[in-house]
Amino acid sequence: MVKNFMISVDNIRSGRLHTLITNAFSHIKQLDIISNMITLYFFGTAIGRYFGPQYLLKLYLAGALAGSIFYVAYKAFVAPLFHKIDKRGFPHSHAPALGASGATTAILLLYIFLFPKKTIFVDFIIPVPAALVGVLIIGKDIWRVLQGDREIAGSTHLGGAAVATVVWLQKRKGRFGRF
């Protein structure tokens, strides 16, 4: 798992570039995979309906790749400036990450950018305007990065957010097919 499915600075330095993508297809905690797959199901279905399944797959992979790149860049260049080791006790180059969060964040935030006035039911109960959910997600991830990316890699989520932002901006300019 560590060598083939977990993203880390050490894996990239060792030439295991495939982990930039493979980490988005595995999880450690059941709650994480359930959360990511619920997000993928509800918001991915909507994106896939509008733009097609191939587009959804490309968005997923782009979010996964960008999330991994943001994570590695954070662990290699930013985090060592503030802490010798991360909150889990790993030197930053060894700190691994795993999960689909970068990919699903790209999908969720693209949905929010496209439909900011829709209502999203947080925890299936609390109705919240999509635009506010987007602000809260990005704000929470910035806070996670500032706190050292403890158990949830906010840097990975921000990579997915960057993909959603670029895609949305290109959609607004009339690129990338129908809107």
Side-chain angles (χ1 to χ4, degrees), residues 4-25:
N4 291 302
F5 284 92
M6 298 185 94
I7 187 67
S8 69
V9 174
D10 286 346
N11 273 349
I12 298 306
R13 285 182 181 151
S14 298
R16 291 187 285 275
L17 300 179
H18 61 280
T19 61
L20 290 166
I21 294 292
T22 58
N23 76 88
F25 292 94

Side-chain angles (χ1 to χ4, degrees), residues 108-179:
L108 172 60
L109 286 176
L110 179 58
Y111 176 89
I112 289 169
F113 291 154
L114 293 172
F115 310 107
K117 294 181 181 177
K118 292 266 189 180
T119 299
I120 295 177
F121 288 87
V122 176
D123 295 329
F124 298 105
I125 300 170
I126 306 164
V128 180
L132 180 58
V133 172
V135 168
L136 293 173
I137 288 169
I138 292 170
K140 193 173 188 179
D141 288 327
I142 290 170
W143 179 252
R144 285 179 176 138
V145 167
L146 294 174
Q147 294 299 308
D149 255 3
R150 294 182 212 169
E151 291 182 30
I152 298 174
S155 56
T156 301
H157 296 179
L158 292 174
V163 167
T165 303
V166 167
V167 169
W168 177 71
L169 289 171
Q170 289 180 333
K171 286 281 183 205
R172 290 193 61 183
K173 291 181 180 178
R175 297 181 187 156
F176 280 144
R178 66 185 172 99
F179 172 55

Side-chain angles (χ1 to χ4, degrees), residues 35-78:
S35 173
N36 280 319
M37 294 306 103
I38 287 171
T39 300
L40 179 61
Y41 177 76
F42 286 106
F43 300 100
T45 299
I47 297 296
R49 198 175 311 125
Y50 283 100
F51 303 114
Q54 289 178 341
Y55 186 91
L56 177 62
L57 176 61
K58 290 175 188 175
L59 180 63
Y60 184 94
L61 294 174
L65 182 61
S68 295
I69 291 168
F70 272 53
Y71 179 81
V72 169
Y74 173 76
K75 289 295 184 180
F77 303 112
V78 179

